[in-house]
Amino acid sequence: MIKGSDLSNQDERLAVEFCGMKFSTPQVLLSGCVGFGEEYTRIEGFSNRDVGAICLKGTTGTARPGNAPHRVTETPAGMINAIGLQNPGAPYVVDKILPTLDFEETRFIANVSGSTVEEYIEVTRLFDASPIDAIEINISCPNVKEGGVAFGNDPEMSARVVEACRAATSKPLITKLSPNQTDIAENARRCIDAGTDAFAVINTLMGMAIDIEQRTPIIGNNQGGLSGPAIKPVALLKTHQVYQVCKGHNIPIIGQGGITSAEDAIEFMIAGASAVGIGTALFYDPLICPKINAGLVEYMERHGMSEIAQLTGTLVLN
Ligand SMILES: Cc1cc2nc3c(=O)[nH]c(=O)nc-3n(C[C@H](O)[C@H](O)[C@H](O)COP(=O)(O)O)c2cc1C
């Protein structure tokens, strides 16, 4: 039986199979945008059951305090963040936070980061021995001084991290790719050879905002990751490029970057995504997910589709 097949509160036509897991809808709440799964539960009307999965905040071997403020700033059609992977450390997350999550509501995915390959292995092992449903490795975080982006921008290093984490877990392994690199398709190819089960495409793009009175960067870290609708066209192209590499290998993609509507989600699925991530949109509309679900159902009915998975990779190039 596929794990999660008892989660039947959503329209069955929205369910997708992702690395052997059943997501009740293709929507995934993205890492860093919902804390450790508890952050939005205080909002009236919000339900974890509206989404197929939730990615937890990036987690490292030991606790990290994160960067000095300001950590976020709004930009036209998006935001820049440099949180700096603030988190309480993997042992705390596994021992104290995971037992508080309701695994009956949705699937939970850990988001693993590290400064060294050894740290990635250590954190992956801890989550492997936990009830978490899947493990996403963030080799693309632009906001820490070492590790993160350095791994993600070099196919050789990316493959090393994937290979090491693959050996440390038998859970589904999702590799989160960086858009800040020359050839994302080549990186994806190397990660498939190294044993990844799936991809998340894309993480944030590097950006900067300047306070013209002070003549200083607004973000304490000077630079940060740009997310939101501003990056959607870039994210769509990268999803399409990675899908070209994945489609012969049965490797699914969580497409993400600027999704704020059912129409956006549909575009990502047509480009090749099996699931879609919602991040920045939650900051201004925490109740967006049921609206996206309704829009997906409406589209399926209009196009005579019996299941949403039929959309994936249906792009017809000119
Ligand atoms: C405030 C903030 C914190 C984030 N933290 C993480 C993180 O810890 N790990 C990670 O892999 N991605 C992190 N991200 C990236 C998102 O998960 C997502 O990939 C990106 O924002 C693109 O999607 P969006 O445009 O829908 O937000 C963060 C994004 C934001 C806005």
Side-chain angles (χ1 to χ4, degrees):
M1 191 174 88
I2 293 174
K3 199 171 177 193
S5 55
D6 52 328
L7 303 176
S8 56
N9 57 317
Q10 293 293 334
D11 189 319
E12 260 306 305
R13 293 172 294 178
L14 286 177
V16 294
E17 194 262 333
F18 196 93
C19 295
M21 297 176 281
K22 181 178 175 182
F23 288 178
S24 59
T25 92
Q27 292 187 75
V28 176
L29 300 187
L30 294 177
S31 181
C33 302
V34 281
F36 284 94
E38 80 302 358
E39 212 151 80
Y40 280 81
T41 52
R42 294 187 293 266
I43 293 170
E44 197 180 339
F46 180 89
S47 171
N48 285 345
R49 292 182 186 273
D50 288 331
V51 295
I54 296 180
C55 288
L56 306 183
K57 174 66 187 163
T59 303
T60 46
T62 52
R64 290 180 65 110
N67 293 332
H70 298 301
R71 292 172 167 195
V72 293
T73 188
E74 200 169 338
T75 63
M79 67 187 269
I80 296 176
N81 91 82
I83 308 295
L85 287 175
Q86 178 186 352
N87 77 96
Y92 186 91
V93 174
V94 169
D95 294 342
K96 304 282 188 228
I97 296 180
L98 295 193
T100 69
L101 301 179
D102 186 349
F103 284 79
E104 290 299 308
E105 290 183 336
T106 190
R107 308 270 63 86
F108 287 99
I109 302 172
N111 180 274
V112 171
S113 268
S115 303
T116 60
V117 177
E118 290 68 33
E119 189 176 0
Y120 277 94
I121 296 172
E122 177 195 334
V123 179
T124 300
R125 278 211 181 106
L126 281 173
F127 280 117
D128 183 63
S130 83
I132 204 83
D133 292 299
I135 296 174
E136 176 176 81
I137 45 174
N138 176 14
I139 54 170
S140 49
C141 182
N143 301 324
V144 288
K145 294 233 158 17
E146 66 296 313
V149 85
F151 291 128
N153 288 355
D154 174 1
E156 185 64 39
M157 284 304 298
S158 301
R160 268 185 59 198
V161 178
V162 173
E163 195 174 13
C165 293
R166 174 74 289 163
T169 184
S170 53
K171 294 190 191 267
L173 189 67
I174 305 161
T175 305
K176 188 159 180 177
L177 295 175
S178 167
N180 305 305
Q181 58 177 320
T182 315
D183 188 351
I184 198 168
E186 171 59 15
N187 198 317
R189 249 177 241 117
R190 298 292 303 273
C191 291
I192 291 172
D193 290 345
T196 195
D197 294 313
F199 288 109
V201 184
I202 54 174
N203 208 321
T204 52
L205 281 151
M206 296 304 294
M208 181 183 257
I210 292 175
D211 178 332
I212 59 169
E213 299 307 323
Q214 306 295 327
R215 302 187 191 182
T216 58
I218 293 174
I219 292 286
N221 187 54
N222 296 323
Q223 60 186 42
L226 177 66
S227 62
I231 71 169
K232 197 191 97 181
V234 177
L236 261 180
L237 176 61
K238 302 288 177 197
T239 299
H240 166 68
Q241 290 171 335
V242 173
Y243 179 68
Q244 299 311 306
V245 178
C246 289
K247 62 183 176 187
H249 298 270
N250 195 22
I251 306 266
I253 299 169
I254 307 173
Q256 58 197 270
I259 295 177
T260 63
S261 65
E263 289 74 18
D264 291 340
I266 290 164
E267 279 189 78
F268 274 86
M269 294 190 77
I270 292 171
S274 296
V276 289
I278 315 296
T280 302
L282 291 167
F283 288 72
Y284 60 86
D285 185 359
L287 301 179
I288 195 170
C289 295
K291 295 174 201 163
I292 291 179
N293 285 336
L296 295 178
V297 169
E298 189 274 325
Y299 181 88
M300 275 194 290
E301 285 175 352
R302 205 154 36 82
H303 287 264
M305 296 167 59
S306 55
E307 43 184 275
I308 196 72
Q310 291 170 337
L311 256 189
T312 298
T314 52
L315 182 67
V316 182
L317 289 173
N318 297 318

PDB file of all heavy atoms in Angstrom, residues 52-79:
ATOM      1  N   GLY A  52      -0.349  18.369   0.078  1.00  0.00           N
ATOM      2  CA  GLY A  52       0.151  17.004   0.020  1.00  0.00           C
ATOM      3  C   GLY A  52       1.324  16.755   0.942  1.00  0.00           C
ATOM      4  O   GLY A  52       1.514  15.636   1.430  1.00  0.00           O
ATOM      5  N   ALA A  53       2.133  17.802   1.177  1.00  0.00           N
ATOM      6  CA  ALA A  53       3.306  17.641   2.038  1.00  0.00           C
ATOM      7  C   ALA A  53       3.776  18.998   2.549  1.00  0.00           C
ATOM      8  O   ALA A  53       3.441  20.038   1.966  1.00  0.00           O
ATOM      9  CB  ALA A  53       4.447  16.959   1.269  1.00  0.00           C
ATOM     10  N   ILE A  54       4.540  18.938   3.640  1.00  0.00           N
ATOM     11  CA  ILE A  54       5.120  20.158   4.218  1.00  0.00           C
ATOM     12  C   ILE A  54       6.616  19.936   4.399  1.00  0.00           C
ATOM     13  O   ILE A  54       7.033  18.954   5.030  1.00  0.00           O
ATOM     14  CB  ILE A  54       4.463  20.486   5.577  1.00  0.00           C
ATOM     15  CG1 ILE A  54       2.977  20.807   5.373  1.00  0.00           C
ATOM     16  CG2 ILE A  54       5.189  21.635   6.270  1.00  0.00           C
ATOM     17  CD1 ILE A  54       2.216  21.136   6.645  1.00  0.00           C
ATOM     18  N   CYS A  55       7.428  20.837   3.832  1.00  0.00           N
ATOM     19  CA  CYS A  55       8.888  20.783   4.052  1.00  0.00           C
ATOM     20  C   CYS A  55       9.224  21.611   5.283  1.00  0.00           C
ATOM     21  O   CYS A  55       8.859  22.792   5.357  1.00  0.00           O
ATOM     22  CB  CYS A  55       9.634  21.382   2.868  1.00  0.00           C
ATOM     23  SG  CYS A  55       9.608  20.374   1.413  1.00  0.00           S
ATOM     24  N   LEU A  56       9.941  21.006   6.196  1.00  0.00           N
ATOM     25  CA  LEU A  56      10.322  21.716   7.422  1.00  0.00           C
ATOM     26  C   LEU A  56      11.480  22.677   7.139  1.00  0.00           C
ATOM     27  O   LEU A  56      12.156  22.580   6.113  1.00  0.00           O
ATOM     28  CB  LEU A  56      10.735  20.710   8.498  1.00  0.00           C
ATOM     29  CG  LEU A  56       9.706  19.605   8.804  1.00  0.00           C
ATOM     30  CD1 LEU A  56      10.204  18.720   9.937  1.00  0.00           C
ATOM     31  CD2 LEU A  56       8.353  20.209   9.156  1.00  0.00           C
ATOM     32  N   LYS A  57      11.701  23.605   8.066  1.00  0.00           N
ATOM     33  CA  LYS A  57      12.808  24.570   7.943  1.00  0.00           C
ATOM     34  C   LYS A  57      14.148  23.833   7.831  1.00  0.00           C
ATOM     35  O   LYS A  57      14.332  22.780   8.443  1.00  0.00           O
ATOM     36  CB  LYS A  57      12.798  25.502   9.176  1.00  0.00           C
ATOM     37  CG  LYS A  57      13.971  26.464   9.267  1.00  0.00           C
ATOM     38  CD  LYS A  57      13.981  27.495   8.141  1.00  0.00           C
ATOM     39  CE  LYS A  57      15.264  28.334   8.162  1.00  0.00           C
ATOM     40  NZ  LYS A  57      15.482  29.031   6.870  1.00  0.00           N
ATOM     41  N   GLY A  58      15.059  24.402   7.085  1.00  0.00           N
ATOM     42  CA  GLY A  58      16.393  23.838   6.918  1.00  0.00           C
ATOM     43  C   GLY A  58      17.024  23.523   8.273  1.00  0.00           C
ATOM     44  O   GLY A  58      17.012  24.350   9.176  1.00  0.00           O
ATOM     45  N   THR A  59      17.590  22.322   8.381  1.00  0.00           N
ATOM     46  CA  THR A  59      18.107  21.835   9.659  1.00  0.00           C
ATOM     47  C   THR A  59      19.569  21.419   9.506  1.00  0.00           C
ATOM     48  O   THR A  59      19.928  20.734   8.545  1.00  0.00           O
ATOM     49  CB  THR A  59      17.247  20.643  10.135  1.00  0.00           C
ATOM     50  OG1 THR A  59      15.884  21.077  10.220  1.00  0.00           O
ATOM     51  CG2 THR A  59      17.698  20.144  11.494  1.00  0.00           C
ATOM     52  N   THR A  60      20.378  21.842  10.474  1.00  0.00           N
ATOM     53  CA  THR A  60      21.810  21.526  10.461  1.00  0.00           C
ATOM     54  C   THR A  60      22.157  20.632  11.660  1.00  0.00           C
ATOM     55  O   THR A  60      21.298  20.351  12.505  1.00  0.00           O
ATOM     56  CB  THR A  60      22.623  22.835  10.513  1.00  0.00           C
ATOM     57  OG1 THR A  60      22.074  23.696  11.530  1.00  0.00           O
ATOM     58  CG2 THR A  60      22.556  23.590   9.193  1.00  0.00           C
ATOM     59  N   GLY A  61      23.418  20.233  11.749  1.00  0.00           N
ATOM     60  CA  GLY A  61      23.827  19.299  12.801  1.00  0.00           C
ATOM     61  C   GLY A  61      23.633  19.857  14.200  1.00  0.00           C
ATOM     62  O   GLY A  61      23.165  19.173  15.107  1.00  0.00           O
ATOM     63  N   THR A  62      24.017  21.121  14.377  1.00  0.00           N
ATOM     64  CA  THR A  62      23.823  21.788  15.663  1.00  0.00           C
ATOM     65  C   THR A  62      23.014  23.068  15.431  1.00  0.00           C
ATOM     66  O   THR A  62      22.874  23.519  14.293  1.00  0.00           O
ATOM     67  CB  THR A  62      25.176  22.153  16.317  1.00  0.00           C
ATOM     68  OG1 THR A  62      25.950  22.865  15.346  1.00  0.00           O
ATOM     69  CG2 THR A  62      25.944  20.916  16.764  1.00  0.00           C
ATOM     70  N   ALA A  63      22.524  23.647  16.543  1.00  0.00           N
ATOM     71  CA  ALA A  63      21.681  24.843  16.429  1.00  0.00           C
ATOM     72  C   ALA A  63      22.449  25.991  15.775  1.00  0.00           C
ATOM     73  O   ALA A  63      23.655  26.141  15.979  1.00  0.00           O
ATOM     74  CB  ALA A  63      21.213  25.253  17.823  1.00  0.00           C
ATOM     75  N   ARG A  64      21.719  26.797  14.993  1.00  0.00           N
ATOM     76  CA  ARG A  64      22.314  28.001  14.384  1.00  0.00           C
ATOM     77  C   ARG A  64      21.445  29.200  14.729  1.00  0.00           C
ATOM     78  O   ARG A  64      20.223  29.133  14.614  1.00  0.00           O
ATOM     79  CB  ARG A  64      22.354  27.874  12.854  1.00  0.00           C
ATOM     80  CG  ARG A  64      23.335  26.862  12.320  1.00  0.00           C
ATOM     81  CD  ARG A  64      23.253  26.847  10.799  1.00  0.00           C
ATOM     82  NE  ARG A  64      23.688  28.117  10.248  1.00  0.00           N
ATOM     83  CZ  ARG A  64      24.818  28.297   9.569  1.00  0.00           C
ATOM     84  NH1 ARG A  64      25.605  27.276   9.329  1.00  0.00           N
ATOM     85  NH2 ARG A  64      25.143  29.476   9.108  1.00  0.00           N
ATOM     86  N   PRO A  65      22.073  30.317  15.124  1.00  0.00           N
ATOM     87  CA  PRO A  65      21.276  31.505  15.469  1.00  0.00           C
ATOM     88  C   PRO A  65      20.792  32.273  14.249  1.00  0.00           C
ATOM     89  O   PRO A  65      19.916  33.125  14.355  1.00  0.00           O
ATOM     90  CB  PRO A  65      22.256  32.361  16.279  1.00  0.00           C
ATOM     91  CG  PRO A  65      23.606  31.962  15.765  1.00  0.00           C
ATOM     92  CD  PRO A  65      23.501  30.517  15.353  1.00  0.00           C
ATOM     93  N   GLY A  66      21.350  32.016  13.083  1.00  0.00           N
ATOM     94  CA  GLY A  66      20.968  32.749  11.867  1.00  0.00           C
ATOM     95  C   GLY A  66      21.740  34.047  11.734  1.00  0.00           C
ATOM     96  O   GLY A  66      22.628  34.359  12.535  1.00  0.00           O
ATOM     97  N   ASN A  67      21.404  34.819  10.699  1.00  0.00           N
ATOM     98  CA  ASN A  67      22.132  36.059  10.386  1.00  0.00           C
ATOM     99  C   ASN A  67      21.629  37.245  11.207  1.00  0.00           C
ATOM    100  O   ASN A  67      20.514  37.227  11.734  1.00  0.00           O
ATOM    101  CB  ASN A  67      21.957  36.393   8.906  1.00  0.00           C
ATOM    102  CG  ASN A  67      22.648  35.382   7.998  1.00  0.00           C
ATOM    103  OD1 ASN A  67      23.636  34.759   8.391  1.00  0.00           O
ATOM    104  ND2 ASN A  67      22.126  35.226   6.794  1.00  0.00           N
ATOM    105  N   ALA A  68      22.442  38.308  11.224  1.00  0.00           N
ATOM    106  CA  ALA A  68      22.018  39.566  11.843  1.00  0.00           C
ATOM    107  C   ALA A  68      20.885  40.174  11.014  1.00  0.00           C
ATOM    108  O   ALA A  68      20.823  39.971   9.806  1.00  0.00           O
ATOM    109  CB  ALA A  68      23.204  40.530  11.889  1.00  0.00           C
ATOM    110  N   PRO A  69      19.977  40.967  11.645  1.00  0.00           N
ATOM    111  CA  PRO A  69      18.916  41.614  10.876  1.00  0.00           C
ATOM    112  C   PRO A  69      19.505  42.741   9.982  1.00  0.00           C
ATOM    113  O   PRO A  69      20.645  43.156  10.237  1.00  0.00           O
ATOM    114  CB  PRO A  69      18.008  42.206  11.954  1.00  0.00           C
ATOM    115  CG  PRO A  69      18.835  42.288  13.188  1.00  0.00           C
ATOM    116  CD  PRO A  69      19.930  41.248  13.069  1.00  0.00           C
ATOM    117  N   HIS A  70      18.753  43.229   8.977  1.00  0.00           N
ATOM    118  CA  HIS A  70      17.469  42.722   8.538  1.00  0.00           C
ATOM    119  C   HIS A  70      17.649  41.424   7.787  1.00  0.00           C
ATOM    120  O   HIS A  70      18.561  41.300   6.987  1.00  0.00           O
ATOM    121  CB  HIS A  70      16.777  43.747   7.645  1.00  0.00           C
ATOM    122  CG  HIS A  70      16.475  45.051   8.330  1.00  0.00           C
ATOM    123  ND1 HIS A  70      15.672  45.123   9.460  1.00  0.00           N
ATOM    124  CD2 HIS A  70      16.868  46.329   8.052  1.00  0.00           C
ATOM    125  CE1 HIS A  70      15.576  46.379   9.834  1.00  0.00           C
ATOM    126  NE2 HIS A  70      16.297  47.145   9.031  1.00  0.00           N
ATOM    127  N   ARG A  71      16.672  40.554   7.980  1.00  0.00           N
ATOM    128  CA  ARG A  71      16.759  39.255   7.317  1.00  0.00           C
ATOM    129  C   ARG A  71      15.860  39.146   6.104  1.00  0.00           C
ATOM    130  O   ARG A  71      16.046  38.248   5.288  1.00  0.00           O
ATOM    131  CB  ARG A  71      16.380  38.160   8.314  1.00  0.00           C
ATOM    132  CG  ARG A  71      17.389  37.994   9.425  1.00  0.00           C
ATOM    133  CD  ARG A  71      16.824  37.045  10.441  1.00  0.00           C
ATOM    134  NE  ARG A  71      17.829  36.610  11.369  1.00  0.00           N
ATOM    135  CZ  ARG A  71      17.670  35.577  12.177  1.00  0.00           C
ATOM    136  NH1 ARG A  71      16.525  34.912  12.182  1.00  0.00           N
ATOM    137  NH2 ARG A  71      18.621  35.237  13.004  1.00  0.00           N
ATOM    138  N   VAL A  72      14.850  39.991   6.016  1.00  0.00           N
ATOM    139  CA  VAL A  72      13.968  39.968   4.842  1.00  0.00           C
ATOM    140  C   VAL A  72      13.667  41.397   4.402  1.00  0.00           C
ATOM    141  O   VAL A  72      13.644  42.317   5.225  1.00  0.00           O
ATOM    142  CB  VAL A  72      12.617  39.251   5.114  1.00  0.00           C
ATOM    143  CG1 VAL A  72      12.804  37.776   5.350  1.00  0.00           C
ATOM    144  CG2 VAL A  72      11.868  39.878   6.260  1.00  0.00           C
ATOM    145  N   THR A  73      13.442  41.562   3.118  1.00  0.00           N
ATOM    146  CA  THR A  73      12.967  42.847   2.614  1.00  0.00           C
ATOM    147  C   THR A  73      12.103  42.596   1.380  1.00  0.00           C
ATOM    148  O   THR A  73      12.362  41.658   0.612  1.00  0.00           O
ATOM    149  CB  THR A  73      14.137  43.805   2.296  1.00  0.00           C
ATOM    150  OG1 THR A  73      13.597  45.092   1.984  1.00  0.00           O
ATOM    151  CG2 THR A  73      14.965  43.341   1.104  1.00  0.00           C
ATOM    152  N   GLU A  74      11.061  43.413   1.249  1.00  0.00           N
ATOM    153  CA  GLU A  74      10.157  43.244   0.118  1.00  0.00           C
ATOM    154  C   GLU A  74      10.761  43.897  -1.123  1.00  0.00           C
ATOM    155  O   GLU A  74      11.409  44.934  -1.022  1.00  0.00           O
ATOM    156  CB  GLU A  74       8.803  43.878   0.456  1.00  0.00           C
ATOM    157  CG  GLU A  74       7.692  43.352  -0.401  1.00  0.00           C
ATOM    158  CD  GLU A  74       6.315  43.783   0.100  1.00  0.00           C
ATOM    159  OE1 GLU A  74       6.178  44.121   1.294  1.00  0.00           O
ATOM    160  OE2 GLU A  74       5.387  43.773  -0.723  1.00  0.00           O
ATOM    161  N   THR A  75      10.563  43.284  -2.272  1.00  0.00           N
ATOM    162  CA  THR A  75      11.037  43.837  -3.548  1.00  0.00           C
ATOM    163  C   THR A  75       9.854  43.823  -4.513  1.00  0.00           C
ATOM    164  O   THR A  75       8.848  43.184  -4.229  1.00  0.00           O
ATOM    165  CB  THR A  75      12.160  42.959  -4.143  1.00  0.00           C
ATOM    166  OG1 THR A  75      11.611  41.668  -4.433  1.00  0.00           O
ATOM    167  CG2 THR A  75      13.331  42.811  -3.204  1.00  0.00           C
ATOM    168  N   PRO A  76       9.961  44.516  -5.647  1.00  0.00           N
ATOM    169  CA  PRO A  76       8.856  44.423  -6.612  1.00  0.00           C
ATOM    170  C   PRO A  76       8.614  42.959  -6.978  1.00  0.00           C
ATOM    171  O   PRO A  76       9.539  42.254  -7.372  1.00  0.00           O
ATOM    172  CB  PRO A  76       9.364  45.218  -7.816  1.00  0.00           C
ATOM    173  CG  PRO A  76      10.347  46.176  -7.223  1.00  0.00           C
ATOM    174  CD  PRO A  76      11.011  45.432  -6.095  1.00  0.00           C
ATOM    175  N   ALA A  77       7.387  42.509  -6.759  1.00  0.00           N
ATOM    176  CA  ALA A  77       6.974  41.133  -7.090  1.00  0.00           C
ATOM    177  C   ALA A  77       7.773  40.051  -6.374  1.00  0.00           C
ATOM    178  O   ALA A  77       7.956  38.960  -6.902  1.00  0.00           O
ATOM    179  CB  ALA A  77       7.025  40.908  -8.596  1.00  0.00           C
ATOM    180  N   GLY A  78       8.283  40.366  -5.195  1.00  0.00           N
ATOM    181  CA  GLY A  78       8.995  39.311  -4.485  1.00  0.00           C
ATOM    182  C   GLY A  78       9.572  39.772  -3.161  1.00  0.00           C
ATOM    183  O   GLY A  78       9.193  40.809  -2.613  1.00  0.00           O
ATOM    184  N   MET A  79      10.475  38.965  -2.627  1.00  0.00           N
ATOM    185  CA  MET A  79      11.183  39.348  -1.399  1.00  0.00           C
ATOM    186  C   MET A  79      12.588  38.751  -1.427  1.00  0.00           C
ATOM    187  O   MET A  79      12.858  37.777  -2.129  1.00  0.00           O
ATOM    188  CB  MET A  79      10.432  38.844  -0.173  1.00  0.00           C
ATOM    189  CG  MET A  79      10.382  37.353   0.011  1.00  0.00           C
ATOM    190  SD  MET A  79       9.286  36.867   1.392  1.00  0.00           S
ATOM    191  CE  MET A  79      10.434  36.822   2.742  1.00  0.00           C
TER     192      MET A  79
END
